[in-house]
């Protein structure tokens, strides 16, 4: 069975990050010095206490699994608390807070929720 990508998804503009990365690559290839701060690229080393905490967690086999697909409830509650404190809106952490791994996933989830005919290609 063949499905088609929804026009709304096909018509989304290209990611600004993707366009910026292409431009940065062009500048670097031309010999320009570029300080790349896109997509959270740090300009300083990670602080040692964070590196040590990551090292400890990587060595613990209990952390060698994927997290819950729906996100950790404690994190969702904390996000709801933050939203209430900063915006005066308290979302239901189990029904209205989504933990996603990127903007494309957020777009996909939003489109999927609004139309049962939307497919990913």
């Amino acid at each position: 069975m063949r499905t088609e990508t929804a026009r709304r998804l096909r018509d989304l503009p290209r990611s600004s990050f993707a366009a910026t990365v292409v431009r940065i690559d062009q500048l670097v290839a031309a010999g320009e010095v570029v300080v790349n701060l896109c997509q959270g690229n740090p300009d300083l080393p990670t602080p040692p206490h964070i590196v040590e905490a990551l090292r400890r967690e990587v060595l613990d086999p209990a952390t060698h699994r994927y997290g819950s697909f729906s996100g950790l409830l404690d994190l969702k509650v904390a996000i709801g608390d933050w939203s209430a404190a900063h915006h005066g809106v308290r979302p239901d952490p189990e029904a209205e807070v989504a933990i996603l791994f990127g903007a494309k996933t957020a777009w996909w989830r939003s489109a999927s929720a609004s139309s049962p005919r939307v497919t990913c290609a």
Side-chain angles (χ1 to χ4, degrees), residues 46-66:
T46 304
H49 70 283
I50 294 174
V51 171
E52 179 56 29
L54 288 168
R55 188 190 69 74
R56 260 192 333 270
E57 293 302 315
V58 165
L59 292 173
D60 180 359
T63 65
H64 296 184
R65 306 172 150 255
Y66 288 110

Side-chain angles (χ1 to χ4, degrees), residues 67-73 76 93-94 97-100 109:
S68 167
F69 187 73
S70 61
L72 299 173
L73 183 57
K76 291 177 160 190
E94 293 191 57
V97 177
I99 307 300
L100 305 171
R109 291 261 180 121

Side-chain angles (χ1 to χ4, degrees), residues 107-119:
W107 276 104
W108 171 243
R109 291 261 180 121
S110 297
S112 295
S114 64
S115 173
R117 295 178 53 183
V118 173
T119 61

Side-chain angles (χ1 to χ4, degrees), residues 9-62:
L9 290 180
R10 281 195 317 266
D11 292 345
L12 287 174
R14 182 174 180 195
S15 163
S16 61
F17 285 118
T20 302
V21 168
V22 168
R23 181 65 180 136
I24 288 169
D25 290 346
Q26 291 170 342
L27 290 169
V28 170
E32 297 289 334
V33 175
V34 177
V35 177
N36 183 354
L37 300 178
C38 290
Q39 299 170 303
N41 285 336
D43 60 343
L44 299 172
T46 304
H49 70 283
I50 294 174
V51 171
E52 179 56 29
L54 288 168
R55 188 190 69 74
R56 260 192 333 270
E57 293 302 315
V58 165
L59 292 173
D60 180 359

